[in-house]
Amino acid sequence: MVTIKDIAKQLGISVSTVSRALNDHSDIKKETKLKVLETVKELNYRPNSVARSLIHQRTYTVGLMIPDITDPFFSTISVGAQELLSEQGYQVIIGNTLRDSAKEKRFIESALERKMDGLIITPDHVDEELVEMLSNINIPVVFLRRRPSKLLKVPFVDVDHYKGACEAVEHLISLGHKGIGYIGIPIESPIAIDRFQGYKDTLKKHDIPYVSDFIQLSGGRTIQSGRIAMDQLISHIPEMTAIFAYNDLLAIGALESLAQHNIGVPDTISIMGFDDLEISNLYWIQLSTMSQPRNQMGRHAAETLLKMINHANTDDEIPDSILLDSVLINRNTCKKLTYQ
Amino acid sequence: MVTIKDIAKQLGISVSTVSRALNDHSDIKKETKLKVLETVKELNYRPNSVARSLIHQRTYTVGLMIPDITDPFFSTISVGAQELLSEQGYQVIIGNTLRDSAKEKRFIESALERKMDGLIITPDHVDEELVEMLSNINIPVVFLRRRPSKLLKVPFVDVDHYKGACEAVEHLISLGHKGIGYIGIPIESPIAIDRFQGYKDTLKKHDIPYVSDFIQLSGGRTIQSGRIAMDQLISHIPEMTAIFAYNDLLAIGALESLAQHNIGVPDTISIMGFDDLEISNLYWIQLSTMSQPRNQMGRHAAETLLKMINHANTDDEIPDSILLDSVLINRNTCKKLTYQ
DNA sequence: ATTTATTTCGGTAACGTTTCCGAAAACACA
DNA sequence: TGTGTTTTCGGAAACGTTACCGAAATAAAT
């Protein structure tokens, strides 16, 4: 490997002079600087950032831990983060954890050994072990799409799921719907709680009674689960004229079930999703839904992380957490209710 | 930061002893080794892999350059590569180039400065500048889904597009189709050439005349382009009874156009895609297509790269390139032709 | 007890940089 | 020419590790 020494030797000068030339220091003659730059080209020299990191105690590397890079949701977030970070000279190392908490811990451990400058993480469960681990860490961390435990003084960025759910249901109500069902997942994660609560609160706000028969909370968050849930709910048509689904996959599953039963959407029932996946815009689907600003989430997470990295010593305050708004995308699965 | 020195000081021993204890060297007393391990826990010490890299001239980092991590195709490939590499203690740095050749070059440059141990790349265009750049590189490189120029002694891994296209068309022919159209992209990339050639050769093999009116090569590789292309082709029904599309997106666009025109699939026309995207399995689509072993591609690329990294000095031969087979996925868009 | 063999350890250089400090070189002014 | 100031440079330590070599400590053999 060609190093700074080789350049120094070839020119008969010292390594420190070469270093100064390469780093645009002031105390160097223009002439020698040019000679150095020339030799750099000639020898095809490239600075060794490993050595640089060792000196500067900065690797210009940050870790981004996500559950599944294959999920366009997370890959778009990661693009947002990468865009901003690479502008600032940072490399991003993506940890694909597949929601496996052992993998999560291994990734964080490895990030620490590699002396990354910061960490953006989306842990699947914020369990005790993780909290314990994170509280002993000496690099900045920001939570993405997850809420840190109260013990952790860590900022997060997420979308306002509660507000989004309220808007979605509000939209349905504004179209005249009163019999509004909900297809969701078991009330465990904070996100599930927020969206469900938004649904319930908005009904209450409009004095619409909560009908537990219109609710299906079993199953996972897949198309398959949505189809099964809708199968259960189908007997409540036509009293039930609309459905708000926890996410687009469930909504699409519902659409599938309704298509199989030959029930028209939005003619006999309206469907509202949440997430705005790319497939939701497909010709056959055209799902009305709440779009989450994924790219922005990644950018904001990166921004707050950079703030923390740069103000590590000067300022002890951690940056504010951020809740972004989702936006309503109106396609073809919701219809104004007309009373005949 | 707590270093090896802190441990040495606390125990009153030398750093070299601590180092030996941590690296399972033979010439160390069991007793002291245990004491060291204990102190490591106590002080929450973590080895600094930056310093280690500097000594060993190995970073255990490889770069993976892809056009778009948001595309499930590439994200699945990257998962395959990551799985294998992380088993071997490597970290993967993903470079998302968005098919921008400036970004590509910057990524490679950065990989070199960071002294990555190897590179798996999917360059958008293999232009002269890139070839020039790559031929001056002193770390192993493997091409993924792209063919290196002949000047480059670099292995590649890809699927056999020609063979896959032959199989797809063969399938259509075996169902009795003779009027088989092709929706594709301009014949520029090697992949486009291979698939189109497979189409033409298979027709010829079965003495089916090549009808240029049945071919649409304009546009990009999006659903939109597929729809437009099909719009142009629709007048050739019913002589044309089947279509082989360059990829699933185009095929889905064709499906969209046919649905708009109320033309039954597969009743009046059969459609065959290539790629097997996740959306191709959707209830409304159920596209018959050729599935590419994406995860395997990533794994194979990683494997050959590791071979090159580990045999860097011992053996100068580069590993063989690999062509993987795609497999036919038969869903509901192809039908046996019945003559009435 | 002395010698020899074995185990265990410490000192030091090295990896490729940057940075500090002091010294040499160049310039300005009297 | 001498003094003072500024510019430019070189030497050396440091970042946190590992690896080599020789020395000390222990065990085994005579």
Side-chain angles (χ1 to χ4, degrees), chain A residues 13-14 16-17 20 27-29 32 55 57:
Chain A
I13 60 179
S14 77
S16 40
T17 308
R20 267 184 307 246
D27 51 350
I28 185 150
K29 219 198 304 182
T32 52
I55 282 269
Q57 305 281 59

Side-chain angles (χ1 to χ4, degrees), chain A residues 121 123 126 134 141-148 154-157:
Chain A
I121 63 176
V126 186
L134 290 178
V141 175
V142 2
F143 269 54
L144 182 61
R145 263 212 127 210
R146 300 282 184 273
R147 308 301 162 88
V154 167
F156 63 86
V157 356

Side-chain angles (χ1 to χ4, degrees), chain A residues 134-257:
Chain A
L134 290 178
S135 49
N136 286 324
I137 275 186
N138 54 352
I139 59 172
V141 175
V142 2
F143 269 54
L144 182 61
R145 263 212 127 210
R146 300 282 184 273
R147 308 301 162 88
S149 117
K150 267 129 208 161
L151 302 170
L152 257 30
K153 281 272 159 243
V154 167
F156 63 86
V157 356
D158 196 359
V159 315
D160 194 334
H161 300 284
Y162 176 79
K163 193 173 167 193
C166 288
E167 265 184 58
V169 176
E170 200 78 55
H171 176 62
L172 255 13
I173 292 173
S174 78
L175 292 175
H177 294 279
K178 289 194 165 19
I180 300 174
Y182 181 75
I183 292 179
I185 59 172
I187 304 303
E188 288 166 348
S189 73
I191 301 181
I193 294 173
D194 282 358
R195 295 194 186 168
F196 190 44
Q197 196 64 44
Y199 162 78
K200 286 192 291 186
D201 287 358
T202 308
L203 289 189
K204 188 180 283 174
K205 181 179 159 201
H206 290 268
D207 292 320
I208 298 175
Y210 170 87
V211 183
S212 60
D213 281 356
F214 290 179
I215 313 290
Q216 274 289 334
L217 294 185
S218 47
R221 53 194 84 193
T222 62
I223 292 182
Q224 164 104 342
S225 312
R227 184 164 46 69
I228 294 170
M230 191 68 235
D231 285 345
Q232 305 296 112
L233 250 31
I234 230 155
S235 58
H236 297 104
I237 304 175
E239 308 95 71
M240 191 177 69
T241 62
I243 283 193
F244 171 49
Y246 167 76
N247 71 13
D248 277 11
L249 290 179
L250 291 172
I252 290 169
L255 251 28
E256 196 176 307
S257 160

